[in-house]
Amino acid sequence: MTRRAAPVALTLLLALLTTLLATPASAERDLRPIPPYTASYEASAMGNTLKARITLNHEDVQTRMAMDAHVSGFLRILGRFELSRESLMNSRNGDLQLVQSRSQQITPRRERKVETRFDWETNRAIGTINGERFDLEVPEQTLDFLGSLYLMMQRLETGELSSEGDRETIQALERDRLREYQFEYAGRETMDSPIGRVETIRIDRRTDDSDVALSAWFARELRHVPVRFDYEADGRVFELNLTQLEWHDPIIDLTDE
């Protein structure tokens, strides 16, 4: 693999993890939390494999989600390719509000660590990027990647996002900047999963300032845990597929026979 191809492969693999944001809408909500779980995913590109794991836990009125991912294959000859995220959210009456957010990305050429806390009395995100401080005004419904993923699952659970063609426009915080995304309910599909065929709802994400497209399929039988993420760029599609799902309290491994 050439030096030029290696960063491209890394970009394609890591971009699979930057997906799906949404905001709450309806007054009628099912307030049952989605059960704690751990989901494992894999994707392949140009002889390399991306393995990712997402974990959800509830801590009284707060919800914590964490994700870690790493690349194995030819790219490992060049060094480490790793990504981690963690979000802590208040969860009251079905609403989510970020308390803290952090992320770390490691490549052979660069390591970037972002830590952010949210002051909702002044609507500000205050944090550091590799130790450099930033202070940014943010809208009330601003979420990060993991908080937004959980909120999307909640919206599908309660039926707040329910019809093909439904669209949502939101602001997302990415490091120290806000970005606007549009999300669309693209339809229902039957797909394979570690427990067999499941009914899913597909959500597509688009933005006007990029030709990169992201999609995700949420399984209705699995409390809308995503079973697949797609990343499309330059006419190519890369798939991140669910390989294992465990429910906690008690742990139930759905892939065990």
Side-chain angles (χ1 to χ4, degrees):
M1 178 175 291
T2 65
R3 289 182 177 273
R4 181 179 180 181
V8 171
L10 173 66
T11 299
L12 294 173
L13 288 167
L14 294 183
L16 286 165
L17 302 173
T18 310
T19 183
L20 300 181
L21 300 129
T23 73
S26 172
E28 294 184 1
R29 299 181 177 181
D30 181 349
L31 302 183
R32 294 178 305 159
I34 295 170
Y37 71 88
T38 297
S40 301
Y41 301 85
E42 286 190 13
S44 297
M46 292 177 264
N48 296 278
T49 300
L50 171 69
K51 292 188 176 182
R53 181 178 61 185
I54 297 176
T55 301
L56 169 73
N57 285 295
H58 301 295
E59 304 169 3
D60 195 12
V61 298
Q62 294 186 321
T63 296
R64 187 184 301 272
M65 288 192 79
M67 180 187 71
D68 60 82
H70 67 275
V71 175
S72 60
F74 294 120
L75 286 176
R76 288 292 288 124
I77 298 175
L78 303 177
R80 295 166 60 194
F81 295 90
E82 300 175 4
L83 177 67
S84 65
R85 297 179 186 270
E86 186 176 76
S87 301
L88 181 65
M89 300 158 277
N90 284 324
S91 182
R92 293 185 176 91
N93 299 323
D95 289 324
L96 292 180
Q97 190 175 67
L98 274 175
V99 177
Q100 297 176 347
S101 177
R102 71 165 184 84
S103 66
Q104 185 173 20
Q105 181 176 324
I106 300 174
T107 69
R109 295 184 177 181
R110 181 176 64 178
E111 181 173 346
R112 180 170 59 211
K113 184 177 183 180
V114 183
E115 296 184 337
T116 309
R117 67 176 179 85
F118 295 84
D119 182 348
W120 293 113
E121 291 185 359
T122 59
N123 284 7
R124 305 200 72 81
I126 304 163
T128 59
I129 301 176
N130 288 347
E132 295 291 327
R133 188 177 185 274
F134 68 87
D135 187 331
L136 179 70
E137 184 176 1
V138 293
E140 289 186 1
Q141 300 300 331
T142 299
L143 291 173
D144 64 356
F145 163 65
L146 291 174
S148 301
L149 178 62
Y150 183 56
L151 185 54
M152 176 63 71
M153 295 166 64
Q154 282 188 323
R155 287 173 61 83
L156 291 171
E157 281 276 288
T158 61
E160 296 171 80
L161 189 64
S162 60
S163 301
E164 187 169 348
D166 283 355
R167 295 180 180 179
E168 197 80 41
T169 301
I170 63 94
Q171 295 286 332
L173 181 65
E174 297 180 351
R175 297 190 295 276
D176 60 347
R177 69 176 185 268
L178 290 169
R179 197 168 195 175
E180 185 174 271
Y181 289 102
Q182 295 81 43
F183 298 83
E184 182 173 349
Y185 187 118
R188 297 184 178 183
E189 300 179 28
T190 302
M191 302 185 66
D192 291 321
S193 79
I195 63 168
R197 302 284 282 176
V198 293
E199 294 298 320
T200 68
I201 297 173
R202 173 179 169 177
I203 303 294
D204 293 339
R205 189 192 79 172
R206 299 288 188 276
T207 183
D208 293 336
D209 59 358
S210 174
D211 60 357
V212 173
L214 290 164
S215 301
W217 286 258
F218 297 84
R220 301 172 65 193
E221 297 97 321
L222 303 178
R223 297 296 302 271
H224 292 98
V225 170
V227 297
R228 173 176 157 187
F229 297 97
D230 275 13
Y231 168 70
E232 181 180 355
D234 299 325
R236 301 187 64 181
V237 176
F238 299 88
E239 297 181 8
L240 185 67
N241 289 294
L242 179 70
T243 58
Q244 187 176 31
L245 176 63
E246 294 179 344
W247 298 112
H248 307 169
D249 301 326
I251 294 176
I252 302 173
D253 187 350
L254 298 180
T255 63
D256 283 347
E257 297 182 356

